[in-house]
Amino acid sequence: MLTRRHALAGALSATLPGIAAAQASAQTTASLNDRMTGDLSPVHDPCIIKQGATYHLFCTSQANQPPGLIHWRTSPDLVTWTLAGAVMPALPDWAQKEVPGTRGAWAPDISLINGRYHLYYALSTFGKNRSVIALQTTATLDRSDPAFGWRDEGVVLASKSGDDFNAIDANIVTGPDGRVWMSLGSFWTGLKLVEIDPATGKPKAGAELTSIAARPHPDAIEAPYIVQRDGWFYLFASFDFCCRGADSSYYTVVGRSKAVAGPYVDRLGKPMLKGGGFIVLHADLDPAKRFKGPGHVAVLRDGARDYIVYHAYDAKKGGAPTLRIQRLAWTDDGWPVAV
């Protein structure tokens, strides 16, 4: 049933007007995925930002994965990647008190707010929602600069057993009015949004969580990422299941709204609060396909070009989570297409 559902969704996406033209217009050179070299794995839940001429990519890591927590890769060109280090040598002293049993730093998100780089990450354990989103900041990502240095800003947002949300998978977006928002969430009742105080990097006093996307139980949804383009907010999300190697069924969808808080709808008008989502990255359940379960995306706006950055599981290397990057083209009616 899962395979059939994905096949039907993929066929529908491929036949909607404008997609073929968008793909053709962007396919002028060999894809990044065909050209990338260097330290591409293990990469899970990547986020990316560019400072100066260098691209910086951060990803999930566990306590037993050298060189530390939140692996940090750099590239001069999006093609050649080098593992440059990690953000933290170990979990903060307060981590086990907040989330007993946590052993990794998950799902980072990097953004520039008020002149400081804000790197959000999650502490949790599988299948439970006693979780926190925490924060590290630095004035620069250039480690040769005397101003460089990560500063632990502690807990940003927490969820506990009994809450209807899970405080992981943070993503920051700044609106055209300068207001800063964090989307977040995994499973439970879906994806949420809260306003952030740019002075602290934490929720504004009195700010409440707003629901922006959900799926009927037991369907899985997580990893929101919001980007602006031409007066729209686009909400990317990952559906189904990651973390199962080559058996992962993860795939990526998108909806859009004129307001950051929604309502988000897909290209056929179905609300994302009711399971809607226009497919951007397919699950690749075909046994002949090498990379499975593409998801947990970030979007890089690099001058006139847009890229979708994600992980997928390499069936030829034991299901290893691997960095993948594709150009994002846009249809005439404003929908993203990975090419």
Side-chain angles (χ1 to χ4, degrees):
M1 179 63 74
L2 185 63
T3 302
R4 181 174 181 272
R5 186 175 77 227
H6 289 173
L8 289 173
L12 177 60
S13 296
T15 58
L16 285 170
I19 292 182
Q23 291 174 329
S25 68
Q27 290 175 334
T28 56
T29 59
S31 72
L32 272 174
N33 283 333
D34 291 335
R35 294 184 288 129
M36 284 196 301
T37 63
D39 294 315
L40 306 180
S41 182
V43 170
H44 209 276
D45 310 330
C47 66
I48 192 168
I49 200 167
K50 187 179 184 181
Q51 181 184 5
T54 302
Y55 299 93
H56 298 262
L57 186 134
F58 304 89
C59 70
T60 287
S61 61
Q62 305 298 332
N64 61 352
Q65 290 181 312
L69 292 163
I70 310 180
H71 289 180
W72 183 356
R73 288 168 170 80
T74 59
S75 174
D77 55 9
L78 294 179
V79 175
T80 303
W81 288 94
T82 302
L83 178 59
V87 173
M88 300 181 290
L91 291 173
D93 293 340
W94 49 262
Q96 290 298 329
K97 179 181 177 182
E98 291 289 339
V99 185
T102 188
R103 289 188 50 76
W106 295 358
D109 180 75
I110 185 74
S111 59
L112 185 63
I113 304 174
N114 278 358
R116 285 187 70 82
Y117 289 90
H118 285 55
L119 190 138
Y120 293 89
Y121 64 98
L123 302 175
S124 189
T125 56
F126 283 103
K128 298 181 180 180
N129 74 325
R130 182 169 180 179
S131 310
V132 301
I133 292 168
L135 176 62
Q136 296 268 345
T137 67
T138 180
T140 178
L141 299 175
D142 180 357
R143 282 164 293 183
S144 67
D145 190 325
F148 170 76
W150 291 106
R151 185 172 74 199
D152 178 16
E153 308 284 2
V155 174
V156 173
L157 187 68
S159 58
K160 61 185 184 301
S161 178
D163 285 336
D164 70 348
F165 72 101
N166 194 10
I168 70 172
D169 294 357
N171 169 247
I172 291 292
V173 62
T174 300
D177 57 1
R179 295 170 72 181
V180 180
W181 302 85
M182 175 188 286
S183 58
L184 62 126
S186 172
F187 288 71
W188 274 261
T189 58
L191 308 183
K192 311 296 180 182
L193 186 81
V194 66
E195 188 169 3
I196 296 295
D197 183 346
T200 65
K202 300 182 179 183
K204 293 187 71 171
E208 296 183 355
L209 292 175
T210 298
S211 293
I212 53 174
R215 298 180 78 195
H217 183 78
D219 288 343
I221 181 173
E222 60 185 10
Y225 195 98
I226 298 176
V227 64
Q228 298 176 73
R229 184 179 186 273
D230 291 346
W232 293 95
F233 290 92
Y234 290 83
L235 170 60
F236 295 81
S238 295
F239 280 8
D240 286 1
F241 298 98
C242 76
C243 313
R244 300 178 179 185
D247 293 327
S248 299
S249 56
Y250 232 24
Y251 65 107
T252 299
V253 304
V254 68
R256 70 182 185 183
S257 171
K258 284 292 187 179
V260 68
Y264 289 90
V265 300
D266 67 18
R267 200 178 186 192
L268 299 180
K270 184 175 181 178
M272 291 191 77
L273 281 169
K274 295 184 178 180
F278 173 63
I279 295 178
V280 181
L281 297 173
H282 297 265
D284 289 338
L285 296 177
D286 183 342
K289 299 290 187 178
R290 177 175 177 179
F291 289 96
K292 315 290 186 177
H296 204 111
V297 309
V299 176
L300 173 67
R301 318 296 305 275
D302 190 15
R305 292 191 171 189
D306 296 334
Y307 299 89
I308 189 165
V309 181
Y310 61 98
H311 73 250
Y313 302 92
D314 188 345
K316 290 187 177 181
K317 295 185 177 181
T322 303
L323 175 63
R324 307 284 284 167
I325 304 176
Q326 290 180 240
R327 283 280 311 277
L328 268 187
W330 297 84
T331 63
D332 290 342
D333 59 344
W335 287 94
V337 180
V339 298

